[in-house]
Amino acid sequence: MALYFLLVLCIFGSARAQSKPPNTIGLGSSLHPTGQATAWYSASGHFAFGFYPQGSGYKVGIWLVWGSINTVVWTVFRDDPEISVDSTLEFIDGILVLKESNSAHKTVADSSESALYANLLDNGNFVLYNQDHKIIYESFHFPTDTILDGQKLPSGGKLVSSFSSTNHSSGRFRLMMQVDGNLVAYPRNLNQPVDAYWASQIYCTGCRNHLLLNGTGILLLINDTDSSVIRQLYTPLMQKERAIYRATLDYDGNFRLYSHEFNSNGNSEMVVEWEAIDDLCLVKGFCGLNSYCLRSDHNAPSCMCLPGSYLRENDPSFGDCQRNFTRGRCINGKEDTSIYKIATTANLTWEDPPYFVTSFLGKEDCGKSCLEDCDCDASLFDEIGQCMKHKLPLRYVKGAHEGFHTAFFKVSNLAVENPTTDSVKPPWVVILVLSISFIMYSGTALAFSGFYVFQFRIIKYRKLLQTGTTGLTKDFILRTCSYRELKRATDGFKEELGKGAFGVVYKGSFDKGRNLVAVKRLEKVVDEGEREFRAEMRVIGRTRHRNLVRLLGYCAEGSKRVLVYEYMSNGCIANLLFRAATRPDWNLRVNIALDVARGMLYLHEECEAPIIHCDIKPQNILLDEFLTAKISDFGLAKLLMPDQTKTFTGVRGTRGYLAPEWQTNSPISVKVDVYSYGIVLLEIICCRRNIEVTVTKIEEIQLSKWAYSCLVENEIDKLVGSEEVDKKTLEGMISVAIWCIQDEPALRPPMKKVLQMLQGIMDIPIPPCPSPSS
Ligand SMILES: *[C@@H]1O[C@H](CO)[C@@H](O)[C@H](O)[C@H]1NC(C)=O
Ligand SMILES: *[C@@H]1O[C@H](CO)[C@@H](O)[C@H](O)[C@H]1NC(C)=O
Ligand SMILES: *[C@@H]1O[C@H](CO)[C@@H](O)[C@H](O)[C@H]1NC(C)=O
Ligand SMILES: *[C@@H]1O[C@H](CO)[C@@H](O)[C@H](O)[C@H]1NC(C)=O
Ligand SMILES: *[C@@H]1O[C@H](CO)[C@@H](O)[C@H](O)[C@H]1NC(C)=O
């Protein structure tokens, strides 16, 4: 009877096949884990749908057939127990069902409509059709860890990595196509900005995007509304004729694009075309709790337990670590310090929020304080002198460059400790790149003092949460990087952007050309120790203001000193003022003058320790993409002149902008910068250099003298030629400039007053003659 029934179905099925596309799967077809019919194949034979072995049983899914290896790209019921050998997959009564011997039947391809036939398309999409030949189900709508050619990950969709390369149950990582348009990778079950380890860095409220692998190996983010391409994540250099592409969130947390190239004699080759992350140690959650990622040059990264912990037995590769001693009781709120000691390492750091932060403990005391505190399991002393105390578990512990952080771990006195991590090769550059990209995309330039870094970080974190956007909350901390890496980033110091008093500046890029930086190779630097240099860099790194060019990182290797700055796309104002064919807009010039004054005010009065720039000139004032003026090279003078308050033997600034006290051997103060600013202000107003020998009239050669005489004779219009500017503003600006260039330093106003006068908040008195003696 059963045989007869099957026979009828088969005839029925094949009769219908006449009107269907070839290679279809008709009603009545079935598959079994073993035997003849274990899978249905696509027309090309490159994809198969059916039973594949996993563990001691089977799973149903789709895989790419190549060589002797099958690459699973989709799994049905991935988190259900494995399927036993006596199960069947039947396409019957308009549905596809999985019949397991001792459990309920499960509908594999669920659709409200009844299906008439099925097909595994050549792109790996398994589809069901109704009797009108319309598609009523496609596996492409339910991705697991992979998207294939032509498949999209819709807004709100996600990929979940597999557990391992052979176990396709849900694993430890997740890639979310967020409804804010950003594609972000997280450890599974976590979705806070602090947990994200990779993001496409698209910030756009109300934008709904989808990810598409478009059939030619191009991985794109596309706007749902107008289908515009928002970002090409990857474009192959060369089109591969016979290749199948897939983008997979791999079990190790990396998002990779693969190509499988099939040649005419049936062989195939798999190539990783692109991967989101260069260093797996940066995948948050790659190592479990209380462990850290260790990477050696040739080997895959491995997870090590923190000092005082041991690796959990049941998951030796990346499991959580637990302490192998039980903590004693706290007596009268005091820790029994006889049973614990502190293990110190300078090579580890982490990002968890501490339960306690203070800036009033020295480095040694930071460890001691943890030892004595019953709540404390570990403490971290960071480069700006904050001591942060933490309880276990610690997450996302990573290698750190020595000297930046010191980590203290409370360990049992009895345990034999070996906390050093000598072979740690810190993944610095990638961290630098990530922080650069974050800084660039976050685009905020907030001034804050070193003590408030922590609070700032928290505020930033909250802000990200509130707006729903996600970023990598890389701490806003200066990074170090290797000379080799900077050499690579600048293509061997190839493209010169400019030359300054301290060395040549080169254009560089990180993150495959996405993030541009300016790399300055220092020359002529006082040969101070690496330690002092690092200390200096940290001071500069902490000096942050909208009108200061930001130091992002540096390298100090042997005698080499290289600084990495944010890239300023519009160059220095010298080009704008002296080389442009037409005079730049008056309002732009006024804004530049104000910007420079604000930056200088910050350097002189608002940052932790006053910084005398010593070399304010148009070549050191740069413009970003929004034409905001920023001062560069600040803080470097100190490297040349160790003590700024003393008298200098040599002149350091640039001729034409130097205050007279440089020549007279008098003490140097912030007023030397005010003098230089006065000259620069005149140059901004008049769009000419202070000294110009090509002018027709001899009295016009020196701008500072000419400007004063014009002011006295009420002929200031002459200074701007035919340009139409508001006379009152012009007069005010020239008067301020004349005040700034007074020979007598005490007569020059401080930058605060300069700014107030320029803003019109303060009246401008009539300036005296700048050089009464000459
Ligand atoms: C695959 O991983 C899942 C999730 O951890 C686990 O429950 C299952 O036992 C694993 N299967 C095999 C064969 O290891
Ligand atoms: C994407 O779509 C949104 C919503 O319609 C729109 O406001 C936005 O301008 C689009 N973005 C781009 C870059 O086209
Ligand atoms: C894939 O995207 C690229 C770039 O947007 C486009 O030029 C190409 O035509 C697309 N290919 C397909 C098959 O859609
Ligand atoms: C904890 O581990 C250390 C190092 O492996 C060992 O010396 C010590 O005896 C262990 N302590 C306990 C309580 O198991
Ligand atoms: C940190 O690592 C470096 C090598 O990368 C090593 O020389 C140094 O001893 C380590 N320091 C500590 C405290 O582990």
Side-chain angles (χ1 to χ4, degrees):
M1 178 60 201
L3 190 69
Y4 169 76
F5 184 65
L6 255 177
L7 213 65
V8 170
L9 272 175
C10 286
I11 293 162
F12 183 73
S14 61
R16 280 289 181 142
Q18 307 302 322
S19 58
K20 293 175 261 169
N23 200 49
T24 56
I25 303 140
L27 283 173
S29 308
S30 64
L31 296 174
H32 304 272
T34 55
Q36 290 292 323
T38 60
W40 293 313
Y41 288 84
S42 65
S44 65
H46 293 323
F47 284 101
F49 172 91
F51 289 98
Y52 68 86
Q54 178 175 303
S56 55
Y58 297 87
K59 285 271 169 181
V60 170
I62 295 172
W63 63 92
L64 190 58
V65 184
W66 63 286
S68 56
I69 315 151
N70 293 331
T71 301
V72 174
V73 295
W74 188 66
T75 306
V76 191
F77 309 127
R78 68 194 298 207
D79 292 319
D80 287 1
E82 281 139 19
I83 300 160
S84 60
V85 71
D86 53 358
S87 308
T88 56
L89 192 62
E90 289 182 16
F91 187 33
I92 193 166
D93 294 339
I95 54 169
L96 185 65
V97 283
L98 177 64
K99 295 183 173 174
E100 290 182 79
S101 55
N102 46 13
S103 82
H105 297 177
K106 295 184 215 166
T107 307
V108 172
D110 214 355
S111 159
S112 56
E113 278 186 75
S114 170
L116 187 60
Y117 60 99
N119 201 350
L120 179 59
L121 304 179
D122 268 345
N123 59 1
N125 193 6
F126 180 75
V127 292
L128 296 184
Y129 296 86
N130 67 8
Q131 55 189 356
D132 301 326
H133 310 291
K134 289 225 169 65
I135 292 176
I136 54 171
Y137 171 91
E138 40 188 321
S139 62
F140 269 19
H141 289 166
F142 308 91
T144 52
D145 64 350
T146 298
I147 58 169
L148 295 165
D149 287 328
Q151 189 171 1
K152 73 178 197 182
L153 188 63
S155 183
K158 63 171 188 257
L159 297 180
V160 176
S161 68
S162 288
F163 186 77
S164 70
S165 59
T166 53
N167 181 345
H168 298 282
S169 296
S170 297
R172 303 183 296 138
F173 305 99
R174 209 165 42 138
L175 184 70
M176 304 281 294
M177 187 65 251
Q178 298 190 158
V179 290
D180 61 5
N182 212 352
L183 184 69
V184 189
Y186 299 97
R188 203 174 156 216
N189 301 331
L190 298 170
N191 61 359
Q192 300 300 311
V194 73
D195 301 310
Y197 61 85
W198 181 81
S200 60
Q201 308 278 19
I202 290 163
Y203 300 108
C204 158
T205 32
C207 284
R208 284 181 161 255
N209 300 329
H210 62 266
L211 178 70
L212 175 71
L213 181 57
N214 94 340
T216 46
I218 302 178
L219 196 58
L220 306 152
L221 281 166
I222 293 174
N223 194 326
D224 276 3
T225 318
D226 57 13
S227 300
S228 59
V229 174
I230 303 295
R231 178 84 46 88
Q232 297 215 358
L233 292 176
Y234 178 73
T235 310
L237 289 174
M238 239 172 43
Q239 287 293 319
K240 292 183 173 175
E241 280 294 313
R242 268 187 276 260
I244 288 173
Y245 292 92
R246 70 180 165 99
T248 303
L249 180 65
D250 279 321
Y251 71 95
D252 58 14
N254 210 346
F255 185 45
R256 295 188 180 91
L257 181 72
Y258 294 89
S259 68
H260 296 259
E261 200 170 14
F262 295 87
N263 58 27
S264 46
N265 45 31
N267 297 327
S268 59
E269 190 192 24
M270 181 179 89
V271 173
V272 177
E273 299 279 338
W274 172 83
E275 53 188 355
I277 290 156
D278 300 331
D279 178 359
L280 285 176
C281 282
L282 294 181
V283 172
K284 286 190 179 164
F286 184 83
C287 293
L289 301 175
N290 304 326
S291 71
Y292 62 92
C293 190
L294 193 65
R295 190 167 137 261
S296 63
D297 274 343
H298 308 290
N299 303 322
S302 54
C303 297
M304 313 289 281
C305 285
L306 297 176
S309 313
Y310 71 98
L311 202 62
R312 202 168 65 178
E313 295 294 327
N314 60 6
D315 201 346
S317 51
F318 40 62
D320 300 342
C321 294
Q322 259 140 33
R323 229 174 356 208
N324 75 342
F325 59 90
T326 39
R327 289 288 303 273
R329 278 196 305 127
C330 208
I331 303 150
N332 298 332
K334 280 237 153 211
E335 187 83 283
D336 182 357
T337 52
S338 66
I339 56 173
Y340 301 113
K341 63 182 177 189
I342 286 290
T344 309
T345 152
N347 289 351
L348 295 178
T349 185
W350 57 87
E351 290 172 20
D352 274 331
Y355 71 87
F356 179 80
V357 194
T358 175
S359 302
F360 301 106
L361 285 177
K363 195 196 272 188
E364 291 309 310
D365 289 339
C366 186
K368 202 162 155 257
S369 160
C370 184
L371 182 65
E372 289 164 359
D373 181 345
C374 290
D375 287 333
C376 186
D377 292 311
S379 60
L380 189 64
F381 189 78
D382 77 3
E383 95 244 33
I384 59 163
Q386 293 184 123
C387 177
M388 293 169 275
K389 295 206 265 183
H390 295 262
K391 299 176 195 193
L392 291 186
L394 295 178
R395 297 182 310 163
Y396 314 147
V397 184
K398 63 188 180 192
H401 198 285
E402 201 190 347
F404 269 77
H405 299 94
T406 306
F408 304 95
F409 299 96
K410 190 183 277 179
V411 299
S412 164
N413 233 342
L414 308 166
V416 182
E417 284 310 329
N418 187 16
T420 47
T421 51
D422 293 313
S423 55
V424 179
K425 198 81 207 196
W428 270 108
V429 174
V430 183
I431 293 176
L432 172 77
V433 169
L434 285 175
S435 59
I436 287 174
S437 33
F438 184 65
I439 288 161
M440 286 192 163
Y441 282 101
S442 71
T444 43
L446 291 170
F448 59 92
S449 94
F451 280 150
Y452 292 105
V453 169
F454 176 70
Q455 280 88 332
F456 174 72
R457 213 186 289 164
I458 297 292
I459 290 162
K460 181 82 201 165
Y461 170 63
R462 287 215 189 98
K463 203 174 141 228
L464 282 166
L465 279 181
Q466 277 159 10
T467 57
T469 50
T470 297
L472 303 178
T473 41
K474 284 288 150 215
D475 25 332
F476 289 70
I477 281 173
L478 199 60
R479 297 302 183 190
T480 59
C481 35
S482 74
Y483 187 75
R484 197 169 54 97
E485 201 51 45
L486 289 178
K487 203 168 161 186
R488 194 174 338 134
T490 54
D491 201 3
F493 298 103
K494 204 160 112 199
E495 192 179 336
E496 216 176 287
L497 290 173
K499 217 177 230 144
F502 304 96
V504 182
V505 185
Y506 302 89
K507 189 170 175 174
S509 69
F510 284 108
D511 206 8
K512 302 191 171 80
R514 282 195 286 266
N515 298 316
L516 294 176
V517 291
V519 176
K520 171 172 286 190
R521 232 180 355 178
L522 295 187
E523 291 150 16
K524 297 191 264 174
V525 172
V526 174
D527 191 24
E528 59 180 3
E530 202 165 307
R531 210 184 182 81
E532 288 74 20
F533 179 77
R534 284 184 195 286
E536 202 52 54
M537 286 302 106
R538 292 202 280 276
V539 171
I540 298 175
R542 280 209 296 271
T543 311
R544 285 177 198 170
H545 186 271
R546 196 177 99 94
N547 300 114
L548 298 178
V549 176
R550 179 115 174 228
L551 180 70
L552 301 171
Y554 66 88
C555 149
E557 263 175 37
S559 63
K560 297 189 184 81
R561 302 280 188 271
V562 189
L563 310 184
V564 182
Y565 286 101
E566 62 178 320
Y567 180 73
M568 303 291 285
S569 55
N570 277 309
C572 67
I573 64 163
N575 293 341
L576 185 83
L577 295 176
F578 312 139
R579 300 222 179 101
T582 56
R583 283 174 170 241
D585 181 64
W586 171 252
N587 289 328
L588 171 64
R589 274 146 62 205
V590 173
N591 282 335
I592 290 172
L594 288 169
D595 280 343
V596 178
R598 288 188 191 106
M600 286 177 65
L601 172 62
Y602 178 78
L603 286 177
H604 288 177
E605 295 177 30
E606 292 171 355
C607 63
E608 268 174 273
I611 293 176
I612 309 177
H613 188 292
C614 296
D615 202 11
I616 294 285
K617 57 179 176 179
Q619 287 77 12
N620 280 339
I621 297 161
L622 308 180
L623 294 170
D624 73 4
E625 55 181 318
F626 307 111
L627 296 172
T628 303
K630 303 188 184 207
I631 302 168
S632 78
D633 270 6
F634 57 90
L636 295 185
K638 226 176 157 190
L639 293 174
L640 289 172
M641 303 173 284
D643 192 345
Q644 285 203 330
T645 54
K646 292 225 182 80
T647 307
F648 302 113
T649 45
V651 174
R652 303 295 181 178
T654 304
R655 204 183 284 266
Y657 303 90
L658 289 178
E661 56 266 37
W662 287 106
Q663 269 92 2
T664 57
N665 228 11
S666 344
I668 297 302
S669 71
V670 291
K671 294 293 180 70
V672 297
D673 285 349
V674 177
Y675 184 92
S676 306
Y677 178 78
I679 300 291
V680 172
L681 183 56
L682 287 175
E683 293 185 330
I684 292 173
I685 295 166
C686 306
C687 291
R688 56 157 277 190
R689 289 173 207 277
N690 186 24
I691 310 287
E692 198 83 82
V693 287
T694 56
V695 290
T696 45
K697 296 192 187 119
I698 199 147
E699 66 267 26
E700 291 179 15
I701 289 179
Q702 191 174 348
L703 178 59
S704 49
K705 289 221 167 77
W706 183 40
Y708 181 66
S709 64
C710 287
L711 186 68
V712 171
E713 279 146 39
N714 202 12
E715 289 178 332
I716 52 169
D717 289 349
K718 277 178 162 181
L719 293 166
V720 289
S722 55
E723 202 178 3
E724 281 205 13
V725 302
D726 175 51
K727 190 155 181 212
K728 244 182 109 77
T729 315
L730 179 64
E731 191 181 328
M733 288 179 77
I734 290 175
S735 304
V736 172
I738 302 295
W739 273 113
C740 290
I741 58 171
Q742 295 293 317
D743 276 356
E744 172 52 48
L747 285 179
R748 296 174 211 150
M751 283 317 291
K752 189 164 199 147
K753 276 196 177 163
V754 170
L755 187 62
Q756 285 173 340
M757 289 192 283
L758 288 176
Q759 287 169 325
I761 301 170
M762 198 177 145
D763 286 341
I764 308 167
I766 293 164
C769 176
S771 328
S773 53
S774 62

